[in-house]
Amino acid sequence: PEDIHHHVDNNKEYEKSKVYKLNINFSELLGNEFYIHLDFAGKDFIAKIPAGNRKYMPQEEFNVHFDLGKVHLFDFIKKETI
């Protein structure tokens, strides 16, 4: 969850993926951070973001990008790292 970033909040320097527009399923406030549960092609993706002064509502659009330096891809058929 740490390497899935809210696109509008993030200006850190690293190689970023394209922006994905996902819908929020639900959010959990856990002290000083939110766990935002997102629908990504029918799968639950979780983004961990700092808590702020706003609430995140179900079905709200949430723009994310990934830190490409932390992405690991696997070939499901060959059971190998790509």
Side-chain angles (χ1 to χ4, degrees), residues 27-69:
S27 63
E28 300 176 90
L29 178 59
L30 301 172
N32 64 343
E33 60 194 10
F34 273 104
Y35 275 25
I36 309 292
H37 293 257
L38 304 162
D39 180 23
F40 190 86
K43 302 289 183 186
D44 186 46
F45 248 58
I46 302 172
K48 186 166 87 171
I49 61 168
N53 294 327
R54 71 177 303 259
K55 294 180 181 177
Y56 297 94
M57 304 304 292
Q59 301 310 312
E60 179 181 336
E61 189 174 86
F62 193 81
N63 298 328
V64 299
H65 63 263
F66 301 93
D67 179 348
L68 293 178

